[in-house]
PDB file of all heavy atoms in Angstrom:
ATOM      1  N   SER E  46     -27.111-221.500 115.427  1.00 36.00           N
ATOM      2  CA  SER E  46     -27.541-222.323 114.310  1.00 36.00           C
ATOM      3  C   SER E  46     -26.608-223.516 114.204  1.00 36.00           C
ATOM      4  O   SER E  46     -25.415-223.349 113.998  1.00 36.00           O
ATOM      5  CB  SER E  46     -27.502-221.488 113.028  1.00 36.00           C
ATOM      6  OG  SER E  46     -27.777-222.293 111.934  1.00 36.00           O
ATOM      7  N   ALA E  47     -27.146-224.712 114.327  1.00 42.00           N
ATOM      8  CA  ALA E  47     -26.318-225.905 114.275  1.00 42.00           C
ATOM      9  C   ALA E  47     -25.754-226.190 112.890  1.00 42.00           C
ATOM     10  O   ALA E  47     -24.616-226.577 112.761  1.00 42.00           O
ATOM     11  CB  ALA E  47     -27.109-227.117 114.777  1.00 42.00           C
ATOM     12  N   PRO E  48     -26.576-225.993 111.831  1.00 41.00           N
ATOM     13  CA  PRO E  48     -26.043-226.326 110.520  1.00 41.00           C
ATOM     14  C   PRO E  48     -24.912-225.403 110.082  1.00 41.00           C
ATOM     15  O   PRO E  48     -24.883-224.237 110.420  1.00 41.00           O
ATOM     16  CB  PRO E  48     -27.250-226.164 109.587  1.00 41.00           C
ATOM     17  CG  PRO E  48     -28.440-226.226 110.459  1.00 41.00           C
ATOM     18  CD  PRO E  48     -27.976-225.680 111.779  1.00 41.00           C
ATOM     19  N   SER E  49     -24.012-225.946 109.301  1.00 38.00           N
ATOM     20  CA  SER E  49     -22.893-225.177 108.761  1.00 38.00           C
ATOM     21  C   SER E  49     -23.403-224.189 107.731  1.00 38.00           C
ATOM     22  O   SER E  49     -24.353-224.460 107.020  1.00 38.00           O
ATOM     23  CB  SER E  49     -21.909-226.149 108.098  1.00 38.00           C
ATOM     24  OG  SER E  49     -21.019-225.457 107.284  1.00 38.00           O
ATOM     25  N   THR E  50     -22.759-223.031 107.656  1.00 38.00           N
ATOM     26  CA  THR E  50     -23.187-222.038 106.682  1.00 38.00           C
ATOM     27  C   THR E  50     -22.298-222.031 105.448  1.00 38.00           C
ATOM     28  O   THR E  50     -22.485-221.231 104.564  1.00 38.00           O
ATOM     29  CB  THR E  50     -23.179-220.633 107.316  1.00 38.00           C
ATOM     30  OG1 THR E  50     -21.861-220.362 107.792  1.00 38.00           O
ATOM     31  CG2 THR E  50     -24.183-220.531 108.425  1.00 38.00           C
ATOM     32  N   SER E  51     -21.309-222.896 105.390  1.00 37.00           N
ATOM     33  CA  SER E  51     -20.400-222.885 104.242  1.00 37.00           C
ATOM     34  C   SER E  51     -20.971-223.696 103.090  1.00 37.00           C
ATOM     35  O   SER E  51     -21.495-224.774 103.273  1.00 37.00           O
ATOM     36  CB  SER E  51     -19.042-223.460 104.649  1.00 37.00           C
ATOM     37  OG  SER E  51     -19.195-224.794 105.058  1.00 37.00           O
ATOM     38  N   ALA E  52     -20.877-223.139 101.905  1.00 39.00           N
ATOM     39  CA  ALA E  52     -21.341-223.848 100.713  1.00 39.00           C
ATOM     40  C   ALA E  52     -20.200-224.711 100.183  1.00 39.00           C
ATOM     41  O   ALA E  52     -19.038-224.370 100.329  1.00 39.00           O
ATOM     42  CB  ALA E  52     -21.773-222.844  99.649  1.00 39.00           C
ATOM     43  N   THR E  53     -20.572-225.815  99.580  1.00 41.00           N
ATOM     44  CA  THR E  53     -19.560-226.672  98.987  1.00 41.00           C
ATOM     45  C   THR E  53     -19.601-226.491  97.481  1.00 41.00           C
ATOM     46  O   THR E  53     -20.573-225.980  96.929  1.00 41.00           O
ATOM     47  CB  THR E  53     -19.828-228.156  99.327  1.00 41.00           C
ATOM     48  OG1 THR E  53     -21.068-228.523  98.736  1.00 41.00           O
ATOM     49  CG2 THR E  53     -19.857-228.383 100.816  1.00 41.00           C
ATOM     50  N   SER E  58     -25.437-224.546 100.600  1.00 85.00           N
ATOM     51  CA  SER E  58     -25.023-224.658 101.989  1.00 85.00           C
ATOM     52  C   SER E  58     -26.037-225.467 102.791  1.00 85.00           C
ATOM     53  O   SER E  58     -27.209-225.570 102.427  1.00 85.00           O
ATOM     54  CB  SER E  58     -24.869-223.271 102.605  1.00 85.00           C
ATOM     55  OG  SER E  58     -26.143-222.692 102.821  1.00 85.00           O
ATOM     56  N   GLU E  59     -25.584-226.011 103.886  1.00 87.00           N
ATOM     57  CA  GLU E  59     -26.450-226.793 104.755  1.00 87.00           C
ATOM     58  C   GLU E  59     -27.558-225.917 105.327  1.00 87.00           C
ATOM     59  O   GLU E  59     -28.689-226.366 105.492  1.00 87.00           O
ATOM     60  CB  GLU E  59     -25.599-227.404 105.874  1.00 87.00           C
ATOM     61  CG  GLU E  59     -26.301-228.470 106.647  1.00 87.00           C
ATOM     62  CD  GLU E  59     -25.354-229.178 107.583  1.00 87.00           C
ATOM     63  OE1 GLU E  59     -24.319-229.689 107.133  1.00 87.00           O
ATOM     64  OE2 GLU E  59     -25.655-229.194 108.779  1.00 87.00           O
ATOM     65  N   THR E  60     -27.247-224.662 105.608  1.00 91.00           N
ATOM     66  CA  THR E  60     -28.255-223.743 106.120  1.00 91.00           C
ATOM     67  C   THR E  60     -29.372-223.555 105.106  1.00 91.00           C
ATOM     68  O   THR E  60     -30.554-223.584 105.446  1.00 91.00           O
ATOM     69  CB  THR E  60     -27.626-222.379 106.476  1.00 91.00           C
ATOM     70  OG1 THR E  60     -26.631-222.593 107.474  1.00 91.00           O
ATOM     71  CG2 THR E  60     -28.659-221.399 106.982  1.00 91.00           C
ATOM     72  N   LYS E  61     -29.007-223.391 103.854  1.00 92.00           N
ATOM     73  CA  LYS E  61     -30.004-223.198 102.790  1.00 92.00           C
ATOM     74  C   LYS E  61     -30.872-224.448 102.640  1.00 92.00           C
ATOM     75  O   LYS E  61     -32.090-224.360 102.490  1.00 92.00           O
ATOM     76  CB  LYS E  61     -29.321-222.853 101.476  1.00 92.00           C
ATOM     77  CG  LYS E  61     -30.295-222.537 100.372  1.00 92.00           C
ATOM     78  CD  LYS E  61     -29.591-222.003  99.151  1.00 92.00           C
ATOM     79  CE  LYS E  61     -30.613-221.701  98.088  1.00 92.00           C
ATOM     80  NZ  LYS E  61     -30.512-220.372  97.569  1.00 92.00           N
ATOM     81  N   ARG E  85     -29.008-232.915 110.612  1.00 95.00           N
ATOM     82  CA  ARG E  85     -28.221-233.491 109.522  1.00 95.00           C
ATOM     83  C   ARG E  85     -28.578-234.970 109.400  1.00 95.00           C
ATOM     84  O   ARG E  85     -28.782-235.647 110.402  1.00 95.00           O
ATOM     85  CB  ARG E  85     -26.725-233.381 109.828  1.00 95.00           C
ATOM     86  CG  ARG E  85     -26.204-231.974 109.845  1.00 95.00           C
ATOM     87  CD  ARG E  85     -24.711-231.989 110.212  1.00 95.00           C
ATOM     88  NE  ARG E  85     -24.228-230.653 110.372  1.00 95.00           N
ATOM     89  CZ  ARG E  85     -24.074-230.041 111.548  1.00 95.00           C
ATOM     90  NH1 ARG E  85     -24.325-230.673 112.678  1.00 95.00           N
ATOM     91  NH2 ARG E  85     -23.617-228.805 111.592  1.00 95.00           N
TER      92      ARG E  85
END
Side-chain angles (χ1 to χ4, degrees):
S46 174
S49 165
T50 58
S51 62
T53 64
S58 73
E59 193 171 305
T60 300
K61 185 171 180 127
R85 293 178 186 99

